[in-house]
Amino acid sequence: MNKSQKFIETKEYKRFAEFCDAFIKYKYIGICYGLPGVGKTLSSRYYSNWDYIEKQIDYKYKKKIGLDTDERILKARTIFYTAPAIRATKMTDEISIIGGKMGMTKAIYKVNNGGEEEYSTDTYEDIDLIIVDEIDRLKVQNLEQLRDLYDRNDLAMILIGMPGIEKRLARYPQLYSRIGFAHEFDKLSKDEAHHILEYKWEELGLSIKLEDFSDYEAITSIIKITGGNFRLIQRLFTQIERILEINNLETITTEVVEAARDSLVIGIK
């Protein structure tokens, strides 16, 4: 997603957020699964405010810690981590480093703003939730690392993957016995897709008129092409914006939609 684009809180995101809140309350492990592009990763990053947090803890020199942050860092209690495609043996060490950086940044921010110098040696003291994305990449020994991390700390954990991952995890009783429940991240409904498309029209500075057959036809075409897939809608509109700009157009028509679809390399047939 383009970082300048505003995140749209879909019904599926709100369900996901409720799921996360419940697991934080009860300190469970949860599974979230869904098809590619339905918004699992975007929702996780948005819930954890990771686009902001990631920048704040990405320092190279001690003197830079906490200089460009604000009070939002003090509310950061969720770690978002993407499982590596290879060499996952040091995964829990990497998660621990992220937690340590978050703690250090909070401590320095407090000092810089008149607070007392205070830094806990417990990496996860101020962490409520760890979200691990792309768990399909992990082998059983890596999953055991996550189980051990969960067992040793008073926090919740959510594992995100593709459909079928819940059945695969059921084969590992030590981990599966700690799982509270699973959440399926579904594609957009037709009504919700309509709502998001209206927003996308406005984002391009265009007004949508459903009584106008041209607008109605374009919307119907987009919904049919993307099938309620949030990522495909985002990618398609990136191309639509480019085509409108190149051709100096002010209306999204089925011809523009078809041209945008043809410009995409993969993902839409």
Side-chain angles (χ1 to χ4, degrees):
M1 184 177 72
N2 188 322
K3 301 300 183 191
S4 65
Q5 292 177 335
K6 182 180 178 182
F7 182 85
I8 302 172
E9 293 192 8
T10 65
K11 180 174 67 176
E12 278 303 309
Y13 168 74
K14 291 176 180 177
R15 287 180 61 210
F16 174 75
E18 290 172 0
F19 174 78
C20 292
D21 291 345
F23 273 79
I24 289 172
K25 180 178 179 179
Y26 297 109
K27 307 295 184 183
Y28 287 156
I29 295 179
I31 306 172
C32 177
Y33 62 92
L35 293 170
V38 292
K40 304 184 299 297
T41 300
L42 284 177
S43 293
S44 299
R45 293 183 68 91
Y46 183 74
Y47 180 85
S48 60
N49 197 18
W50 205 247
D51 287 346
Y52 167 78
I53 301 302
E54 191 172 36
K55 291 177 182 176
Q56 299 308 315
I57 64 175
D58 186 26
Y59 52 80
K60 295 181 180 179
Y61 306 102
K62 286 185 178 180
K63 62 182 181 180
K64 296 289 187 180
I65 302 175
L67 288 182
D68 300 320
T69 191
D70 56 42
E71 67 276 2
R72 284 179 291 174
I73 193 67
L74 302 180
K75 299 177 182 178
R77 303 184 67 88
T78 298
I79 292 175
F80 174 80
Y81 178 78
T82 302
I86 57 174
R87 293 192 295 276
T89 53
K90 296 184 178 180
M91 177 177 57
T92 51
D93 290 341
E94 292 173 353
I95 295 173
S96 180
I97 289 171
I98 292 171
K101 284 186 172 183
M102 288 173 67
M104 180 64 74
T105 305
K106 290 179 184 180
I108 297 299
Y109 173 79
K110 289 177 182 177
V111 170
N112 289 343
N113 287 272
E116 295 183 5
E117 187 171 347
E118 182 180 335
Y119 178 68
S120 174
T121 56
D122 182 354
T123 300
Y124 300 108
E125 181 179 327
D126 208 26
I127 299 298
D128 292 329
L129 173 66
I130 298 174
I131 300 175
V132 183
D133 198 10
E134 304 283 3
I135 63 164
D136 310 81
R137 298 171 171 176
L138 301 179
K139 298 179 181 178
V140 61
Q141 60 265 36
N142 308 130
L143 295 170
E144 279 298 304
Q145 290 180 54
L146 293 176
R147 180 191 65 79
D148 182 62
L149 190 158
Y150 168 79
D151 285 348
R152 288 186 289 105
N153 298 279
D154 184 32
L155 47 73
M157 184 177 291
I158 294 177
L159 309 177
I160 297 180
M162 296 283 287
I165 193 64
E166 73 284 6
K167 296 176 183 176
R168 178 189 162 200
L169 293 181
R171 300 200 296 267
Y172 310 126
Q174 279 192 306
L175 175 63
Y176 201 70
S177 64
R178 291 159 172 78
I179 292 174
F181 57 88
H183 169 74
E184 181 177 7
F185 211 108
D186 205 358
K187 64 183 181 180
L188 299 170
S189 67
K190 187 175 180 181
D191 287 343
E192 194 161 29
H194 266 281
H195 172 73
I196 287 176
L197 292 181
E198 288 180 27
Y199 176 82
K200 300 302 286 184
W201 248 257
E202 292 176 6
E203 200 172 50
L204 294 178
L206 305 174
S207 59
I208 191 168
K209 302 181 181 67
L210 292 178
E211 67 276 11
D212 185 323
F213 183 73
S214 178
D215 283 358
Y216 173 80
E217 192 177 36
I219 288 176
T220 302
S221 178
I222 292 170
I223 291 175
K224 182 178 179 181
I225 288 170
T226 60
N229 186 294
F230 191 81
R231 183 187 298 162
L232 291 185
I233 290 176
Q234 297 281 11
R235 291 177 58 205
L236 188 65
F237 263 85
T238 298
Q239 294 301 322
I240 286 174
E241 183 177 13
R242 183 181 68 84
I243 289 167
L244 290 176
E245 185 176 347
I246 290 172
N247 295 282
N248 198 27
L249 299 173
E250 296 183 354
T251 305
I252 300 175
T253 63
T254 52
E255 290 77 18
V256 169
V257 173
E258 293 292 331
R261 181 192 65 179
D262 293 342
S263 298
L264 294 178
V265 178
I266 57 172
I268 297 180
K269 302 282 186 180

